[in-house]
C-alpha cells in the first residue's frame, strides 16, 4: 500500500520517510477553492504594479515609495512562510486557511481606505502574511485532500491560480483603475476575497493538526539528506528565470522587435503559455518528478540562449518566449511537489522553505539581472541566465534527489 517515500536513481537519498495517511477519496471542490484563494492573493500582490502612478499621486508620495508596497509584501511573505508551520501547529488547518483569506479581505479593504502611505504599508504586510502562509501550506494541504497518486495534479490545479493572476491581474487592475479609480480596484479585490472565503468555508473539510513543527524544525529539514542540495538547485532555477523576466520588455522591444501595439499581446500569450505549462506539469509529474524538475530549466535555458544568440526571426523569437513561459509554468508545481515528497512528515515546514527560497530568488535574480544589464545589455542578461538555467538542469538531473511515492511495503 501507499504511505512511504522511496528514493530511487542516482544522486538520491537513501532510506524511507514515513508519510502521513492519505485520504480515501478526493475532495476536488476543496482543491479548486485553494486555487481561487491563490488567485486572489497573487492578484492583490500584483495590483500595485498596474496602479502605481495614481496611488502615488493620491497619497502624495513618489512612485518609488509607492513601489515599496510590493517590497514589504514580499518580505512579510518570506517571514510568514518560515513561521506559519510552527506558530499554527496546534490549529485545524481549515481554520488557518480561512484565516489567511480573511487577512486578504481586511488588507484590501483597508488599503482601499488608506489615507497615508504608512497605513497602506501596514496593510500590505497583512497581505504578505496571508500570501506566504497560504503558499507554504498549499502542497501539504493537497496531500490531505486527494490520494497520493493525484497530489501532483491537485498541486498543479492550486498553483494554476498563480498563472491566471499573472495573466489578468495587471491588465485588469489597470482597466478598473482607469474606470473607477485605484481604491475601487482594491475594493473589488476584497469582494473577490469574500467570495473565496464563502467557497472555502463550504468546500474545505476539517483537517485536524498533525504538525509537530517548531522553529528548529526548519534547520532539521534543511539537514535532511538531499534537501539542502535540492533547495540550491531550486534557487538557481528561480534566479535564472527572474533575471530574465525582469528584462522581458527590453528583450521584446530590442531583440524580438515587437512594437508597443503587439507588446501586450505577446505578454498575454506568455501568461497563457505559463498557465498551460502549470497544468501540463501536473500530468508530467505523475510520470516522473526528476524529468519535470530537470526539463523545465533546460527548456527555459534553451529559449533564453535562442533569443540571445540565434537569428530566429520575429516569429521564431516569439515562439521561444512562449516556450519559456510554458516551461516556467511547471517550475512552482514541480518544486512544491518535490519538497512534500522529500519531507512528507514535515511538509508544511518544507513548503515554507520553498517560499523563502523563491522570494529570495526574485530579489536576487532581479539584482543580478540589473548588474548584467548594466554591463552588456539585454543580450548579456539572456546569455548568462540561459547558461545558469542549463547548468541548474544538469545539477538537478545528476545530483538532486527525486523521491517517488512507493507502492509497496
Amino acid at each position: 500500500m501507499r504511505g512511504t517515500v522511496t528514493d530511487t536513481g542516482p544522486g538520491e537519498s537513501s532510506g524511507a520517510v514515513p508519510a502521513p495517511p492519505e485520504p480515501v477519496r478526493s475532495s476536488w471542490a476543496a482543491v479548486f477553492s485553494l486555487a481561487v484563494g491563490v488567485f486572489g492573493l497573487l492578484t492583490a500582490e500584483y495590483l500595485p504594479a498596474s496602479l502605481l502612478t495614481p496611488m502615488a499621486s493620491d497619497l502624495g508620495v513618489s512612485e518609488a515609495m509607492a513601489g515599496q508596497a510590493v517590497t514589504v509584501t514580499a518580505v512579510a511573505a518570506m517571514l510568514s512562510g518560515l513561521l506559519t508551520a510552527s506558530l499554527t501547529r496546534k490549529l485545524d488547518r481549515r481554520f488557518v486557511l480561512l484565516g489567511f483569506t480573511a487577512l486578504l479581505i481586511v488588507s484590501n479593504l483597508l488599503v482601499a481606505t488608506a489615507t497615508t502611505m504608512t497605513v497602506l504599508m501596514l496593510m500590505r504586510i497583512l497581505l504578505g502574511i496571508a500570501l506566504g502562509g497560504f503558499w507554504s501550506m498549499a502542497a501539504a494541504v493537497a496531500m490531505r485532500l486527494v490520494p497520493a497518486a493525484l497530489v501532483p495534479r491537485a498541486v498543479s490545479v492550486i498553483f494554476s491560480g498563480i498563472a491566471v493572476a499573472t495573466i489578468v491581474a495587471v491588465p485588469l487592475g489597470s482597466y478598473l483603475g482607469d474606470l473607477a479609480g485605484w481604491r475601487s480596484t482594491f475594493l473589488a479585490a476584497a469582494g473577490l476575497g469574500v467570495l473565496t472565503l464563502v467557497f472555502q468555508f463550504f468546500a474545505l473539510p476539517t483537517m485536524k493538526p498533525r504538525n509537530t513543527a517548531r522553529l528548529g524544525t526548519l534547520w532539521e529539514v534543511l539537514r535532511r539528506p538531499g534537501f539542502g542540495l535540492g533547495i540550491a538547485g531550486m534557487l538557481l532555477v528561480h534566479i535564472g528565470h527572474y533575471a530574465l523576466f525582469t528584462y522581458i520588455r527590453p528583450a521584446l522591444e530590442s531583440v524580438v522587435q515587437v512594437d508597443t501595439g503587439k507588446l501586450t499581446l505577446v505578454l498575454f500569450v506568455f501568461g497563457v503559455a505559463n498557465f498551460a505549462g502549470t497544468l501540463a506539469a501536473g500530468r508530467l509529474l505523475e510520470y516522473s518528478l526528476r524529468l519535470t524538475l530537470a526539463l523545465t530549466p533546460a527548456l527555459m535555458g534553451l529559449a533564453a540562449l535562442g533569443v540571445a544568440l540565434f537569428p530566429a526571426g520575429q516569429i521564431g523569437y516569439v515562439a521561444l518566449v512562449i516556450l519559456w513561459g510554458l516551461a516556467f509554468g511547471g517550475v512552482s508545481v514541480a518544486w512544491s511537489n518535490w519538497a512534500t515528497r522529500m519531507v512528507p512528515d514535515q511538509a508544511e515546514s518544507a513548503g515554507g522553505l520553498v517560499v523563502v527560497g523563491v522570494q529570495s530568488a526574485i530579489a536576487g535574480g532581479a539584482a543580478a539581472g540589473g548588474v548584467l544589464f548594466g554591463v552588456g545589455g539585454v543580450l548579456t542578461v539572456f546569455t548568462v541566465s540561459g547558461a545558469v538555467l542549463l547548468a541548474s538542469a544538469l545539477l538537478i538531473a545528476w545530483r538532486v534527489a527525486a523521491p517517488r511515492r512507493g507502492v509497496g511495503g
Side-chain angles (χ1 to χ4, degrees), residues 135-211:
W135 190 355
S136 70
M137 292 177 60
V141 170
M143 296 169 66
R144 303 182 65 171
L145 297 177
V146 299
L150 297 176
V151 168
R153 195 179 308 178
V155 175
S156 73
V157 170
I158 293 170
F159 280 89
S160 69
I162 298 176
V164 175
T166 302
I167 297 170
V168 305
V170 174
L172 183 61
S174 179
Y175 173 76
L176 291 177
D178 291 341
L179 186 68
W182 72 270
R183 295 181 185 275
S184 296
T185 305
F186 279 97
L187 287 175
L192 174 62
V194 171
L195 294 176
T196 301
L197 185 64
V198 173
F199 186 8
Q200 290 174 347
F201 182 83
F202 289 104
L204 289 174
T206 296
M207 291 175 281
K208 296 298 182 183
R210 56 190 186 198
N211 197 341

Side-chain angles (χ1 to χ4, degrees), residues 14 169 219 253 258 295:
S14 60
W219 177 241
E253 291 174 336
V258 172
L295 182 62

Side-chain angles (χ1 to χ4, degrees), residues 252-263:
L252 291 174
E253 291 174 336
S254 63
V255 180
V256 184
Q257 296 184 339
V258 172
D259 58 37
T260 305
K262 295 179 180 177
L263 182 64

Side-chain angles (χ1 to χ4, degrees), residues 298-319:
L299 292 177
M300 291 160 61
L302 290 173
L305 291 176
V307 170
L309 303 178
F310 300 107
Q314 189 174 76
I315 294 177
Y317 285 135
V318 171

Side-chain angles (χ1 to χ4, degrees), residues 266-340:
V266 174
L267 290 173
F268 175 77
V269 173
F270 177 91
V272 171
N274 188 264
F275 174 70
T278 301
L279 297 181
R283 295 286 187 172
L284 185 58
L285 281 164
E286 293 175 15
Y287 172 72
S288 173
L289 174 58
R290 178 182 294 280
L291 176 62
T292 311
L293 289 172
L295 182 62
T296 47
L299 292 177
M300 291 160 61
L302 290 173
L305 291 176
V307 170
L309 303 178
F310 300 107
Q314 189 174 76
I315 294 177
Y317 285 135
V318 171
L320 289 170
V321 170
I322 292 172
L323 175 63
W324 167 22
L326 186 70
F328 185 68
V331 170
S332 293
V333 180
W335 286 104
S336 292
N337 271 280
W338 171 84
T340 56

Side-chain angles (χ1 to χ4, degrees), residues 88 94 149 273 318 333 344 378 382:
T88 67
R94 176 176 183 265
V318 171
V333 180
V378 71
F382 272 63

